[in-house]
Amino acid sequence: MGFLKSFFGGKEQSPEEKQEKESAYQFDVLKTEGVRALHTGKWDYAVKCLNKALDIKDDLEVHDYLSQAYIQNEQFRKGYEQLQLLSAAQPDNINILTTMARVAYMMEDFQAMSEACEKSLLIDKDHADTMFLYARAALAQKDMVNAVAMYTKTLMLDENFAAAYLERGNTLLQMGDLEGAEEDADHLMQLAGNDEDVLLLKGRVLMARQRPSEAIEMFDKAIEGNPFSTIAYRERGAARLALGDKEGAEADLRQLLEIDPKALEDVNGAFKS
């Protein structure tokens, strides 16, 4: 065989070349299998394949896929660590930083979330998604004033950012700014009046305004759209009780417990006579 290769100009591979070729083949197989598993929801298998691929060769694309697999598998800390590697390699990539902020939010690591947002804003101070996430981080750390300011900045950057209106409205309501909360609720009613969260916000504002009859109409619509909304049953029950409708309030409590028997642990004295 060696004579034929020499005669026809061929070159026999060295053991090192054979090993390199075999490693490259195994890497490609493991990467392909890992990506296929990721896209079919087999996240444990995806994690195993992608980690084995990285044992053969360090590859940023594989780190990216592995971060997705960890996050889908609710291994948020490990997913975050992969994102850190990616961010170190591509420090100006805003998409990586905003993904880090979202994962940090799921980890309830709000300091890490804020830091990721700050790095992103250094790249683009007018990035609406980052500003929104920064507001969420502030709110999670009980800094309502700055949260409202950043939700407002988000809306200055993107006037159609519905989630920013919703979260600002709920925050203003908690702060006792009923006028501001109602403005956000009314604006959202025009944008997405049938959305459950929007209806709940509007209903809460009406309750705070001591208009329980109108609030009930909002909670009715929320329940019509989602018959399994435990929050809507709880809120409507409180509104019915405020009107002296104990029977209606008890009916909502029964429905609430039928949907979620554990909900009794969260029910306060609002339903008690």
Side-chain angles (χ1 to χ4, degrees), residues 132 151 155 158-172 181 183-185 187-188 191 201:
F132 174 73
Y151 284 131
L155 292 167
D158 181 358
E159 62 181 7
N160 296 316
F161 208 126
Y165 279 111
L166 180 65
E167 295 191 15
R168 186 178 70 175
N170 277 310
T171 305
L172 289 170
E183 286 180 5
D184 282 344
H187 185 79
L188 285 168
L191 290 177
L201 172 59

Side-chain angles (χ1 to χ4, degrees), residues 219-227:
F219 301 137
D220 284 343
K221 290 180 181 178
I223 291 168
E224 181 180 345
N226 177 13

Side-chain angles (χ1 to χ4, degrees), residues 51 53 55 60 68 72-73 81 91 99 101 103 114 131-132 141 143 179 181 183-184 206 212 222 233-234 244 255 259:
N51 269 313
D55 287 340
L60 287 179
Q68 296 175 47
Q72 291 292 341
N73 209 29
E81 289 169 356
T99 302
V103 175
S114 295
M131 191 62 66
F132 174 73
Q141 296 176 88
D143 188 354
E179 183 176 349
E183 286 180 5
D184 282 344
L206 290 167
Y233 281 112
R234 181 184 290 110
Q255 188 63 43
I259 297 170

Side-chain angles (χ1 to χ4, degrees), residues 88-256:
Q90 301 176 18
D92 293 332
N93 191 321
I94 285 182
N95 289 333
I96 294 173
L97 290 166
T98 54
T99 302
M100 288 176 66
R102 290 187 176 93
V103 175
Y105 185 72
M106 290 185 282
M107 294 191 302
E108 298 185 358
D109 187 342
F110 305 119
Q111 183 59 40
M113 184 181 184
S114 295
E115 290 171 3
C117 291
E118 288 163 6
K119 289 178 181 178
S120 179
L121 290 171
L122 286 174
I123 300 167
D124 182 359
K125 63 182 177 61
D126 294 327
H127 195 260
D129 284 343
T130 300
M131 191 62 66
F132 174 73
L133 291 168
Y134 205 9
R136 275 191 162 181
L139 183 61
Q141 296 176 88
K142 311 300 182 185
D143 188 354
M144 291 187 176
V145 173
N146 275 325
V148 167
M150 286 185 277
Y151 284 131
T152 302
K153 179 64 182 296
T154 302
L155 292 167
M156 291 171 62
L157 298 170
D158 181 358
E159 62 181 7
N160 296 316
F161 208 126
Y165 279 111
L166 180 65
E167 295 191 15
R168 186 178 70 175
N170 277 310
T171 305
L172 289 170
L173 182 59
Q174 290 182 55
M175 296 172 70
D177 183 352
L178 301 187
E179 183 176 349
E182 189 162 29
E183 286 180 5
D184 282 344
D186 288 342
H187 185 79
L188 285 168
M189 289 293 291
Q190 294 178 355
L191 290 177
N194 293 323
D195 181 87
E196 179 183 346
D197 290 328
V198 173
L199 292 166
L200 291 173
L201 172 59
K202 180 63 176 178
R204 289 173 185 140
V205 170
L206 290 167
M207 281 295 291
R209 293 283 198 190
Q210 298 184 356
R211 291 151 59 185
S213 295
E214 295 172 69
I216 287 173
E217 292 178 14
M218 297 297 108
F219 301 137
D220 284 343
K221 290 180 181 178
I223 291 168
E224 181 180 345
N226 177 13
F228 302 100
S229 175
T230 56
I231 297 174
Y233 281 112
R234 181 184 290 110
E235 303 259 6
R236 189 176 69 177
R240 284 175 164 175
L241 194 61
L243 287 172
D245 181 6
K246 294 181 180 179
E247 184 177 343
E250 289 172 358
D252 278 339
L253 176 58
R254 286 194 298 271
Q255 188 63 43
L256 171 65

Side-chain angles (χ1 to χ4, degrees), residues 6-74:
S6 176
F7 183 78
F8 288 109
K11 181 182 178 183
E12 188 173 0
Q13 289 183 323
S14 68
E16 291 79 11
E17 289 173 325
K18 289 181 180 179
Q19 180 59 48
E20 184 178 342
K21 185 176 181 180
E22 177 63 22
S23 294
Y25 173 75
Q26 291 178 357
F27 173 83
D28 288 339
V29 169
L30 288 165
K31 178 179 177 180
T32 301
E33 277 292 292
V35 173
R36 183 182 293 115
L38 175 63
H39 291 159
T40 55
K42 299 175 182 176
W43 299 310
D44 281 330
Y45 184 54
V47 165
K48 290 178 182 179
C49 290
L50 295 170
N51 269 313
K52 286 186 177 295
L54 288 172
D55 287 340
I56 296 171
K57 183 176 73 172
D58 193 35
D59 181 88
L60 287 179
E61 190 176 22
V62 174
H63 282 295
D64 185 12
Y65 286 128
L66 182 56
S67 73
Q68 296 175 47
Y70 276 134
I71 292 165
Q72 291 292 341
N73 209 29
E74 297 187 358

